[in-house]
Amino acid sequence: MQCKDFVVGVLDLCRDTEEVEAILNGDVDQVPPSDHNRPCLSRVKLAIKYEVKKFVAHPNCQQQLLTIWYENLSGLRQQSIGVKCWTVLGVTVGLPFLAIAYWIMPCSKLGQILRSPFMKFVAHAVSFTIFLGLLVVNASDRFEGVKNLPNETITDHPRQIFRVKTTQFSWTEMLIMKWVLGMIWSECKEIWADGPREYLMHLWNVLDFGMLSIFVASFTARLMAFLKASKAQLYVDLHVSNNDLTNASLPADVAYFTYARNKWRPSDPQIISEGLYAIAVVLSFSRIAYILPANESFGPLQISLGRTVKDIFKFMVIFIMVFVAFMIGMFNLYSYYLGAKYNPAFTTVEESFKTLFWSIFGLSEVISVVLKYDHKFIENIGYVLYGVYNVTMVVVLLNMLIAMINNSYQEIEEDADVEWKFARAKLWLSYFDEGRTLPAPFNLVPSPKSFYYLILRTRACLVRLCKAGGRRADSSEVEMGMLNSRAKPDRYRSHPRARDDFTVKKPIKNPTRYQKIMKRLIKRYVLKAQVDRENDEVNEGELKEIKQDISSLRYELLEEKSQATGELADLIQQLSHNLGKNTKKP
């Protein structure tokens, strides 16, 4: 915490852009510049890695990130939301043409604009929105119901196999597959650039990997069903002479592909494909939450939702433990009464799981524990266990989960601005890196720039191979040099020390620009800390004054006490004198 406060305090003392850049980028003289002279932001990436949220959300840091975000679009930064919405709409309409222009002229003014982080974000967001639209359009023909029922078959001509018609890919599915291939290629480039370990550290990458894997598995199963149906159709075309397949005698493996849906096997590839496709669609729409931190209104809500998911995973440990305990216990109690109950609850592991799970939402009945026989002991134990389960799960654990979610939401709400700016900075940094300018599926077509970079890399590899061959040729000379180095250990032992001394003394004699800036900031920070400490501490003179005030107050209180005691004594004496006179008169 002291480290975090220190870096925030140093960043708060920056007075110009040069000092801010030194804090955010580190020593840029030791880091090679990027292709487009974009700051490396090494300190910001480190702060995001270790979640130094106040440093990332600091106005100086956010101002620098905002400047890079609108690179080559300085005029758009000051525009209203309406102008930015029109810009997004223009990119949506002209995205194919912009992609073609970037393929042809990647280094032009238009190419520089498309490489800016804001335009990359808009292009990728528009591409993903189109992808979601294709998912909706693909299901639009079934909004009002399917044309044929599960027990009906419809073909284009009498000799057509029914499954050939059902397994054919539509034009929307072909476009969806192109988008999926483009996103897979983008993820492959990201893994190559960041490395597998860094790639898996981000949960959104894991979600993307799962979504794309399920899409690939779904389309693969669908393709297998289509190939098998096509094979059956080829058999019909070659060996069956009847014009109507309903009256033809077909082998069992061929006749299967003429059946309606109600006769398909549960392990049919098309059924598996449809199930996987439904899961992939749900994951695709949940991917929208990735771009929500870019908006000030939806960002905190998305952060709260993410924290809620973490709380649910923590809660699942206790939930699964209690759930499995009661599931196995109720199954052991009622497994011997299969067919002797009013419903099959708890008679099998599957029925026990279903009953206990849906009872959390109030969708199970108490009759689940009642037997048809007069075994009251078993019924009473069932009533007790079922009641304890409902009290534990519904009254205790679910309310504990609600309290955890409410606590997480309050934590986010109390520091919503810092949390949102930190999440937005993470989103922005993902678009600051070079490359991946064109979104899917336009990234599948390589640009001339890609060929140019490929030639340069091939040339560099060849140069390295040539140098490696030269080193092998001089291996004998290297071995002789090693022998000489062993014969003169004292000479080469002293050399590294002298070199280390040189590197230590160099910053003192000739400090770099970065070292001068950091030295100035540290002095400023120390001076401010001393001033704050002096303002907070009480000096010796003030302590003496406080002691004198306390002593004077003490003496005043003692004097007032003595005066009050004397007045009380006088009053007592007068009272006793008056009482004496009254007793003498009678």
Side-chain angles (χ1 to χ4, degrees):
M1 293 304 298
Q2 290 177 351
C3 254
K4 293 179 180 180
D5 294 339
F6 169 72
V7 295
V8 174
V10 172
L11 184 60
D12 195 39
L13 294 174
C14 294
R15 297 176 180 174
D16 53 22
T17 307
E18 184 182 23
E19 294 178 351
V20 174
E21 291 177 350
I23 294 292
L24 301 183
N25 302 322
D27 194 354
V28 295
D29 297 332
Q30 298 181 359
V31 179
S34 60
D35 297 336
H36 304 285
N37 296 322
R38 189 174 292 168
C40 61
L41 300 174
S42 59
R43 296 279 174 79
V44 180
K45 295 176 181 178
L46 198 64
I48 289 177
K49 180 180 179 180
Y50 292 104
E51 295 188 351
V52 189
K53 297 182 180 180
K54 291 184 178 180
F55 178 82
V56 179
H58 195 277
N60 291 337
C61 181
Q62 290 290 312
Q63 181 71 17
Q64 189 73 11
L65 295 177
L66 199 62
T67 302
I68 303 174
W69 179 250
Y70 287 103
E71 187 182 46
N72 299 322
L73 295 168
S74 57
L76 186 63
R77 177 179 175 180
Q78 309 297 334
Q79 298 298 328
S80 62
I81 299 296
V83 176
K84 293 178 181 178
C85 290
W86 279 107
T87 303
V88 173
L89 183 61
V91 173
T92 304
V93 175
L95 185 59
F97 306 102
L98 294 174
I100 295 173
Y102 184 78
W103 285 330
I104 299 174
M105 300 176 294
C107 298
S108 63
K109 181 66 176 179
L110 180 62
Q112 294 178 0
I113 293 175
L114 291 176
R115 278 196 300 269
S116 67
F118 176 77
M119 291 301 295
K120 286 169 64 175
F121 169 75
V122 172
H124 284 78
V126 167
S127 173
F128 192 74
T129 304
I130 296 174
F131 174 70
L132 297 181
L134 288 174
L135 296 179
V136 175
V137 172
N138 187 41
S140 60
D141 58 339
R142 301 186 298 275
F143 283 169
E144 297 180 357
V146 293
K147 297 179 181 179
N148 57 317
L149 298 177
N151 58 350
E152 297 177 352
T153 58
I154 299 177
T155 57
D156 295 332
H157 53 83
R159 289 178 58 84
Q160 185 185 31
I161 296 289
F162 172 65
R163 293 293 297 277
V164 173
K165 184 176 178 61
T166 60
T167 56
Q168 288 178 353
F169 291 97
S170 62
W171 65 273
T172 53
E173 291 172 339
M174 297 294 291
L175 289 176
I176 290 171
M177 284 191 288
K178 291 181 180 179
W179 249 268
V180 170
L181 288 176
M183 287 188 284
I184 290 174
W185 177 240
S186 179
E187 295 298 318
C188 291
K189 290 199 292 186
E190 188 172 353
I191 294 174
W192 177 263
D194 299 339
R197 181 177 180 181
E198 190 69 23
Y199 177 84
L200 293 175
M201 290 297 292
H202 298 85
L203 295 179
W204 288 113
N205 293 334
V206 177
L207 177 63
D208 290 340
F209 182 82
M211 177 190 72
L212 296 175
S213 300
I214 295 174
F215 266 120
V216 171
S218 173
F219 289 128
T220 303
R222 179 76 173 274
L223 181 61
M224 290 174 59
F226 176 75
L227 293 177
K228 290 184 177 180
S230 300
K231 186 177 180 181
Q233 183 66 55
L234 181 63
Y235 178 86
V236 170
D237 294 338
L238 296 177
H239 301 91
V240 178
S241 59
N242 292 358
N243 293 328
D244 192 356
L245 295 180
T246 56
N247 300 323
S249 59
L250 300 173
D253 56 342
V254 177
Y256 172 75
F257 292 96
T258 63
Y259 297 157
R261 179 178 287 267
N262 60 344
K263 296 182 180 180
W264 294 357
R265 288 189 292 265
S267 60
D268 191 281
Q270 188 172 351
I271 293 179
I272 296 175
S273 172
E274 292 170 355
L276 295 175
Y277 181 79
I279 299 174
V281 169
V282 174
L283 295 178
S284 300
F285 278 89
S286 64
R287 190 66 170 78
I288 299 176
Y290 176 72
I291 63 176
L292 289 181
N295 185 269
E296 187 175 0
S297 301
F298 297 106
L301 295 177
Q302 188 269 339
I303 298 168
S304 300
L305 180 63
R307 187 72 64 86
T308 300
V309 173
K310 292 181 181 179
D311 290 339
I312 292 174
F313 277 112
K314 294 178 183 177
F315 170 79
M316 288 299 293
V317 177
I318 303 176
F319 173 82
I320 292 174
M321 181 181 63
V322 176
F323 186 86
V324 172
F326 279 94
M327 183 181 70
I328 300 300
M330 298 295 284
F331 167 71
N332 287 330
L333 187 65
Y334 287 99
S335 59
Y336 302 102
Y337 293 93
L338 182 62
K341 293 176 81 275
Y342 289 98
N343 57 25
F346 306 119
T347 54
T348 62
V349 174
E350 181 181 359
E351 291 295 334
S352 181
F353 175 85
K354 292 179 181 178
T355 306
L356 292 180
F357 179 78
W358 292 112
S359 67
I360 299 174
F361 308 99
L363 299 178
S364 295
E365 300 177 353
V366 184
I367 200 173
S368 301
V369 298
V370 179
L371 296 173
K372 293 181 180 180
Y373 304 140
D374 190 19
H375 292 183
K376 292 298 181 182
F377 182 73
I378 298 296
E379 281 190 7
N380 292 333
I381 293 179
Y383 276 119
V384 171
L385 291 179
Y386 198 50
V388 171
Y389 170 80
N390 281 279
V391 171
T392 305
M393 297 297 293
V394 179
V395 178
V396 179
L397 292 182
L398 286 184
N399 283 282
M400 185 178 71
L401 176 62
I402 293 171
M404 291 171 59
I405 294 173
N406 186 39
N407 184 41
S408 299
Y409 181 79
Q410 290 296 330
E411 290 179 359
I412 298 295
E413 194 67 23
E414 290 174 359
D415 209 4
D417 187 66
V418 173
E419 294 286 347
W420 167 64
K421 288 181 178 179
F422 180 76
R424 186 180 65 174
K426 291 174 65 176
L427 175 64
W428 283 356
L429 280 176
S430 63
Y431 292 95
F432 284 176
D433 297 332
E434 299 296 334
R436 298 189 293 250
T437 303
L438 294 179
F442 305 103
N443 60 343
L444 293 175
V445 180
S447 62
K449 184 181 69 173
S450 302
F451 290 109
Y452 174 71
Y453 286 152
L454 180 61
I455 293 173
L456 290 181
R457 290 171 183 170
T458 305
R459 179 185 174 185
C461 292
L462 293 176
V463 169
R464 267 193 242 108
L465 290 174
C466 293
K467 289 182 179 179
R471 290 172 184 172
R472 293 193 193 97
D474 298 336
S475 59
S476 59
E477 297 180 3
V478 172
E479 292 177 358
M480 291 298 296
M482 292 175 64
L483 292 174
N484 293 334
S485 64
R486 291 172 186 171
K488 302 176 181 179
D490 297 336
R491 176 186 173 185
Y492 286 95
R493 283 177 187 171
S494 61
H495 180 69
R497 294 179 184 176
R499 186 174 182 181
D500 291 340
D501 294 339
F502 176 74
T503 56
V504 170
K505 293 179 181 179
K506 184 179 179 181
I508 299 175
K509 294 181 179 179
N510 300 312
T512 62
R513 181 178 63 88
Y514 170 76
Q515 291 170 344
K516 291 179 181 178
I517 294 173
M518 293 305 301
K519 186 177 181 181
R520 185 166 66 245
L521 287 172
I522 296 301
K523 284 183 177 180
R524 201 178 297 163
Y525 180 83
V526 172
L527 181 61
K528 183 177 181 298
Q530 291 176 350
V531 172
D532 293 340
R533 185 178 61 183
E534 291 176 357
N535 293 333
D536 294 338
E537 291 180 353
V538 180
N539 55 29
E540 186 177 356
E542 292 175 347
L543 285 175
K544 290 181 178 180
E545 291 179 0
I546 292 172
K547 288 180 180 180
Q548 292 176 0
D549 293 338
I550 293 173
S551 299
S552 61
L553 178 62
R554 177 186 176 188
Y555 289 128
E556 290 176 0
L557 291 174
L558 290 174
E559 289 177 359
E560 290 179 0
K561 179 182 178 182
S562 61
Q563 292 177 1
T565 304
E567 292 176 356
L568 182 61
D570 294 339
L571 291 173
I572 293 173
Q573 186 177 2
Q574 293 177 4
L575 182 61
S576 60
H577 181 69
N578 293 333
L579 289 173
K581 289 181 179 181
N582 292 332
T583 54
K584 290 179 180 179
K585 286 180 181 180

